[in-house]
Amino acid sequence: MEPINVFDYETLAKERMNPAYWDYYAGGSDDEVTLRDNQRDFARIRLRPRMLVDVRQCNTSTSVQGLPISMPILVAPTAMHCLAHSEGECATAQGAGAVDTLMIASTSATRTLEEIAQAASGPLWFQLYIYYSLDVAAGLVRRAERAGYQAIVLTVDLPAMGNRERSRRHGVPMPPPPLVRANFVGIGQEDIGQVAVTWETIDWLRTITSLPVLIKGILTAEDAQLAIAHGVSGIIVSNHGGRQLDGVVTSIEALPEIVEAVAGRCEVYMDGGIRRGTDIFKALALGARAVLVGRPIIWGLAADGARGVQQVLSILHTELELAMKLAGCPTLASINHTFLKL
Amino acid sequence: MEPINVFDYETLAKERMNPAYWDYYAGGSDDEVTLRDNQRDFARIRLRPRMLVDVRQCNTSTSVQGLPISMPILVAPTAMHCLAHSEGECATAQGAGAVDTLMIASTSATRTLEEIAQAASGPLWFQLYIYYSLDVAAGLVRRAERAGYQAIVLTVDLPAMGNRERSRRHGVPMPPPPLVRANFVGIGQEDIGQVAVTWETIDWLRTITSLPVLIKGILTAEDAQLAIAHGVSGIIVSNHGGRQLDGVVTSIEALPEIVEAVAGRCEVYMDGGIRRGTDIFKALALGARAVLVGRPIIWGLAADGARGVQQVLSILHTELELAMKLAGCPTLASINHTFLKL
Amino acid sequence: MEPINVFDYETLAKERMNPAYWDYYAGGSDDEVTLRDNQRDFARIRLRPRMLVDVRQCNTSTSVQGLPISMPILVAPTAMHCLAHSEGECATAQGAGAVDTLMIASTSATRTLEEIAQAASGPLWFQLYIYYSLDVAAGLVRRAERAGYQAIVLTVDLPAMGNRERSRRHGVPMPPPPLVRANFVGIGQEDIGQVAVTWETIDWLRTITSLPVLIKGILTAEDAQLAIAHGVSGIIVSNHGGRQLDGVVTSIEALPEIVEAVAGRCEVYMDGGIRRGTDIFKALALGARAVLVGRPIIWGLAADGARGVQQVLSILHTELELAMKLAGCPTLASINHTFLKL
Amino acid sequence: MEPINVFDYETLAKERMNPAYWDYYAGGSDDEVTLRDNQRDFARIRLRPRMLVDVRQCNTSTSVQGLPISMPILVAPTAMHCLAHSEGECATAQGAGAVDTLMIASTSATRTLEEIAQAASGPLWFQLYIYYSLDVAAGLVRRAERAGYQAIVLTVDLPAMGNRERSRRHGVPMPPPPLVRANFVGIGQEDIGQVAVTWETIDWLRTITSLPVLIKGILTAEDAQLAIAHGVSGIIVSNHGGRQLDGVVTSIEALPEIVEAVAGRCEVYMDGGIRRGTDIFKALALGARAVLVGRPIIWGLAADGARGVQQVLSILHTELELAMKLAGCPTLASINHTFLKL
């Protein structure tokens, strides 16, 4: 039977994937408290739907950093898509483009950023990890600019790798060497945390590129204020899918204080735990411009390649549209906090 | 053994019904969060019973829209009773009439509204969906008036069909074509959401009928205020049994803010999650004039036809009466919020 | 192995008792929500123990209505002890007397109040139900006075019998006729609720006896105020072990508002959910003069007759004493709300 | 496979230990509510991590009572290590010393305090129970001074032994006589609670030793104030691992009120429920100078002797360091309550 929600894709993906690879994507850090809480915290928020509104024309199209997209749902940057499907990030990009939304390609892709750009039909942002040195990072940024990426998303919550015990227990090199770090071929051994990525790095990054610079991994109002002071164009509220520090606030919990601190000075996105259209509706009602979806994209990719990615995005789109109709919101602009009971 | 509570009827009904039909009635939308919460939220409210009151004469009789009934418990409008029992809505109407209470017959009945009216011995209201056009709706209203229905209950929370995955997974046409939409024979294909049902529709509806117009599906104080402004005679607080937007506030949670907003300007009813007499007592204490009971009626109908419906209503009546006695309330008028610890 | 806590006695009792009788004692009303909550609510209250107090001499002796007892733990009135043990209430009275505490004998005893008085070595109160008429009740009170009972405890939360479904499902006359209502031999058929028991009944009761009149079954500050106004000598906060109105406030939850309303004008006792010495400590810290223990007494009785009752009381006494030592309270008077974190 | 967290050591220890000994260490008192809550309460506190801080040099070294240690993690005093490993406390001391942290040796050790001191390479404190008489206690203090212990930690929460039902159910003398109380050989039978240990005992203890006097087992601000008034050098917030009064506040719950009451006048440590580096981070953020770890040390000891103790401490150290990096705290001094969402 055709999958009807993202959980159906989760089941399919688990059946089809190498268990070590499955665990790589599915796992969180330590006791996976945050992994679970990211989803659970959505259930604490109840909706207050309004009735008798004309919702026959329900419009989900929006823009992020000025780029028009068909829905406020972005493909989150996740690593090594070739573990899920042989075509890797190229298939993901095709799936996202097919529904006219944006993909954020990861530094840790198993296809080069140029290959992904070539495969893509929709807009792309490039997610940047600064692993080795600022020079290497600058090289990646230049390549991304040349390949047509339209923003740089610096991930800031990985000064060290989180304690992901599922992967550690598999005790095997994962992924197999030829797949990893397509963007770094010839550069040598990864060595996270040797470069200090600080607020000054944001300043530097803005000097070497004219693309908008966004940061991903902010969970406090204090850091949101600093981000604004350092000129970022967007903030992605995220706890890295529960894979970095276990026990942190959830993304949906952190979102309101960040939206309040930003006060409209840049776009705020939300990443982590989205599984239903109503989750997206709740994030938008709390002030997110759009949400990022990570694991469900991998599930679609593993289950059915580009078509699976497209289907997962379509399901979430349909669910969001239905949530808007049933809540009495014909437009994204009409969604606000009065639709929530916190 | 004779069933002693509504859950016993639930068990019987599940045994006797076609699983696809069972799932149609039992299911909610998406992850069925609201379906579960409707019941659970009653348990959060504790009773503060008063002692040493003379409760030998305990009176549950009341009126709704001026119609005298034996208990503040109404038969909720639910679709397609022929899926539960061959006599369908006619049996339901007989069961309700046998205990002198009111049935709200659904637009989506599998018996025509005229057949139901003929079978009924108690008062009837007609629940209206506006599916096709205002003309079709007006036709139904006229037929309901002629058949003796005493109010029109417009359901306002279905601008689109909720995502009821249990039904979608059965993947079969349900119900079989001859049964459905007895009221629409010869009208053609259902097409929900093509008519925009808005507050203006309420105004229009009031112009075409002299019957009281009630609306069903309100969950916020804001909409309750609008409903009053548009001249409704009654508001049914309801989330459609958890079958429309998943994750909304529960009916019992929404009730107080609506009662407060209405401030006595029309009657307020409550629908969703009633399984015990104490649930009814709690709804009344929060200001409901009466409650609607949906699934338990279907259980009684499936288990034992008209007699099962009658028994389910009798059980709830007996339980309500006992709750009143044990709480020290000899009359419905004596029930108020001081009997609750929220 | 020797039982070391009351739950061990629960296990033993369940093994030894007729299942219908077990269910009679174990069950609550409706969905048994209150039955469970009575115990659970104790766990919500945490203790704030004080250290470095000399607790070598720890004294639990106290008085109730001026009667000295060895511990603030009373035997609650419960019905038909012959269902648990052939010697019935006589064995219970012996067990309570052996540890120098007080038993409240039930109107619904399977031994006459005179037999119980004869068997007892400790003080007794008589629990009164007014089933038939004031005359019958007056007769019981006179008999209790003559037999040496030292207070009358009128149960006020039974204007009708709660909906105890476990017993209803057994569908057999329980208990077998020769056992029941030893106090009513020759009086005829029980008919609860035909006599209205009201505040005026308290006034009347005080005119026909010089014994202190206590009432059992109060759950609100309002009723506590009325009780004081009607001259009661003691209030027993109780929800009848979750056997009357399901979903009411728990006894430990209701206790503080009642203690506050009473403001020292009479003694307040607490009944329901006591299983550990720390439960007793919590009730005392919230202002109870003593607690009543119901089901655990039945468990001791069923497991080992008078000796089992004595052991259950000894275990609770030992646990209370240990709780006092570990909390830094050498006397009952030193226990107060500062020892709790609510 | 090599254990990767303390729970792996728990599993190993359970496999290797005599079940009665396992239960001795694993169990709590009564219903083990506090045993469970000690860990659960950590999960209620969420972290607010800060990003873009240079955390390449992350320093966990600190001091307690002026003694430099490599991490704010101390070995809690626990009894009878020979039940876990044949080398007992000597192995534990070696393990702690190997990672340059401090062990608090228990009065109830199965090795004499002199043997432990000889085996140790790191700093030691001596935990004191006053069992028999002040003279015996004074003798222990003098021996501890001579052996090089650098503080006396008086445990104040054991005026009587908690009701540890797991041990009672084993019903066997545990531990076998030759092992116990190495420090008391020739002194005779243990008789807890015959000496009243009060605030005056603290005063006395300070007169007989020049070592810093700390007290362990404080759970309220009131007692913390008294402790300061009586001149203690440190307070260890502890509920004895849930083994004394069941249902008390948890250590992490009590910590803030104690830190506030102490207001910097002495060092405050926290003991109970630490299983992850993030638990330690939370305790430090609430004002603890360091934490004590009890059961996990026993697990390491049982699994692998001195090396297991060292490994458990190393794992916790590594986890703490990672938590600091991921939270944006390069130093212990930078950790404060703004990193928590309570």
Side-chain angles (χ1 to χ4, degrees), chain C residues 1-5 7-8 43 45-56 276-278 282 319 322-327 338 341, chain D residues 30-31 37 41 156-157 159-161 163 165 169 193-194 196-199 217 219-220 222-223 226 244-250 253 257:
Chain C
M1 198 197 142
E2 187 74 4
I4 64 172
N5 59 35
F7 302 110
D8 288 347
I45 303 171
R46 287 186 176 173
L47 298 165
R48 301 178 73 249
R50 302 295 301 276
M51 302 300 150
L52 294 166
V53 175
D54 184 350
V55 291
R56 284 173 300 171
R276 285 286 186 187
T278 47
K282 290 172 185 178
E319 288 186 359
L322 182 57
M324 291 170 66
K325 288 186 178 190
L326 297 180
T338 67
K341 182 150 190 170
Chain D
D30 281 11
D31 304 310
D37 286 346
D41 273 14
V156 298
D157 59 4
M161 183 70 76
N163 177 38
E165 299 195 344
R169 291 196 195 283
Q194 292 309 299
V197 181
T198 66
W199 291 108
L219 289 171
T220 60
E222 296 93 316
D223 277 350
L226 284 169
Q244 287 294 98
L245 186 57
D246 199 30
V248 296
V249 289
T250 61
E253 178 186 13
E257 76 175 58

Side-chain angles (χ1 to χ4, degrees), chain A residues 142-294:
Chain A
R142 279 191 300 273
R143 285 169 58 193
E145 285 176 337
R146 280 198 299 269
Y149 288 78
Q150 304 196 56
I152 302 298
V153 176
L154 181 71
T155 297
V156 298
D157 59 3
L158 210 125
M161 183 70 76
N163 177 38
R164 304 173 192 175
E165 299 195 343
R166 291 205 212 187
S167 290
R168 291 176 67 192
R169 290 195 195 283
H170 283 293
V172 290
M174 198 277 306
L179 287 182
V180 235
R181 279 169 281 123
N183 289 322
F184 295 106
V185 171
I187 295 182
Q189 199 54 39
E190 174 181 330
D191 194 4
I192 296 172
Q194 292 309 300
V195 181
V197 180
T198 66
W199 290 108
E200 285 64 45
T201 315
I202 308 294
D203 301 333
W204 165 82
L205 186 57
R206 290 181 58 224
T207 67
I208 66 157
T209 183
S210 57
L211 292 177
V213 169
L214 290 74
I215 59 177
K216 175 170 176 285
I218 296 299
L219 288 172
T220 61
E222 296 93 317
D223 277 351
Q225 291 284 15
L226 285 169
I228 296 294
H230 286 272
V232 305
S233 298
I235 292 171
I236 301 176
V237 181
S238 172
N239 56 31
H240 215 113
R243 296 159 77 83
Q244 287 294 99
L245 186 56
D246 199 31
V248 296
V249 289
T250 62
S251 304
I252 196 67
E253 178 187 13
L255 180 59
E257 75 174 60
I258 291 168
V259 166
E260 190 187 358
V262 166
R265 290 176 289 172
C266 76
E267 293 183 350
V268 177
Y269 315 98
M270 186 268 168
D271 165 76
I274 298 286
R275 298 294 180 269
R276 285 285 186 187
T278 47
D279 297 337
I280 302 168
F281 185 96
K282 290 172 184 177
L284 300 179
L286 289 172
R289 178 78 183 179
V291 301
L292 279 63
V293 177

Side-chain angles (χ1 to χ4, degrees), chain B residues 35-53:
Chain B
L35 178 70
R36 286 185 295 272
D37 285 347
N38 267 354
Q39 283 181 247
R40 284 183 189 167
D41 272 14
F42 279 104
R44 295 190 191 181
I45 304 171
R46 287 186 177 173
L47 298 166
R48 299 178 74 250
R50 302 295 301 274
M51 302 301 149
L52 293 165
V53 175

Side-chain angles (χ1 to χ4, degrees), chain D residues 19-248:
Chain D
Y21 298 173
W22 170 260
D23 269 352
Y24 170 73
Y25 288 117
S29 55
D30 281 11
D31 304 310
E32 302 190 336
V33 170
T34 299
L35 178 70
R36 286 185 294 274
D37 286 346
N38 266 354
Q39 283 182 245
R40 284 184 188 165
D41 273 14
F42 279 104
R44 296 189 190 180
I45 303 170
R46 288 186 176 173
L47 297 166
R48 301 179 73 250
R50 302 295 301 274
M51 301 300 149
L52 294 166
V53 175
D54 185 349
V55 290
R56 285 173 300 171
Q57 303 304 321
C58 194
N59 188 351
T60 65
S61 67
T62 185
S63 68
V64 284
Q65 303 295 322
L67 301 168
I69 48 177
S70 66
M71 58 178 99
I73 310 172
L74 315 180
V75 174
T78 51
M80 301 184 291
H81 291 194
C82 284
L83 301 188
H85 190 271
S86 60
E87 297 171 35
E89 289 80 4
C90 294
T92 314
Q94 287 159 6
V99 290
D100 291 318
T101 195
L102 182 147
M103 171 176 172
I104 310 177
S106 169
T107 288
S108 302
T110 37
R111 295 284 174 144
T112 64
L113 62 90
E114 290 83 3
E115 289 172 306
I116 299 168
Q118 197 144 22
S121 61
L124 293 171
W125 290 347
F126 182 71
Q127 178 272 333
L128 180 66
Y129 278 127
I130 300 180
Y131 281 161
Y132 306 91
S133 67
L134 295 184
D135 278 358
V136 169
L140 286 170
V141 170
R142 279 192 299 272
R143 286 170 58 193
E145 286 177 335
R146 279 198 299 269
Y149 288 78
Q150 304 196 56
I152 302 297
V153 177
L154 181 70
T155 297
V156 298
D157 59 4
L158 209 126
M161 183 70 76
N163 177 38
R164 304 173 192 175
E165 299 195 344
R166 291 205 213 186
S167 290
R168 290 176 67 192
R169 291 196 195 283
H170 283 292
V172 289
M174 198 275 309
L179 288 182
V180 233
R181 278 168 282 124
N183 289 321
F184 294 107
V185 170
I187 294 180
Q189 200 53 39
E190 174 181 329
D191 193 4
I192 296 171
Q194 292 309 299
V195 181
V197 181
T198 66
W199 291 108
E200 285 64 45
T201 316
I202 308 292
D203 301 334
W204 167 82
L205 186 57
R206 291 180 58 224
T207 67
I208 66 155
T209 183
S210 56
L211 291 177
V213 170
L214 290 74
I215 58 176
K216 175 170 175 284
I218 296 299
L219 289 171
T220 60
E222 296 93 316
D223 277 350
Q225 291 283 14
L226 284 169
I228 296 294
H230 286 272
V232 305
S233 298
I235 292 172
I236 301 175
V237 181
S238 172
N239 56 31
H240 215 113
R243 296 159 78 83
Q244 287 294 98
L245 186 57
D246 199 30
V248 296

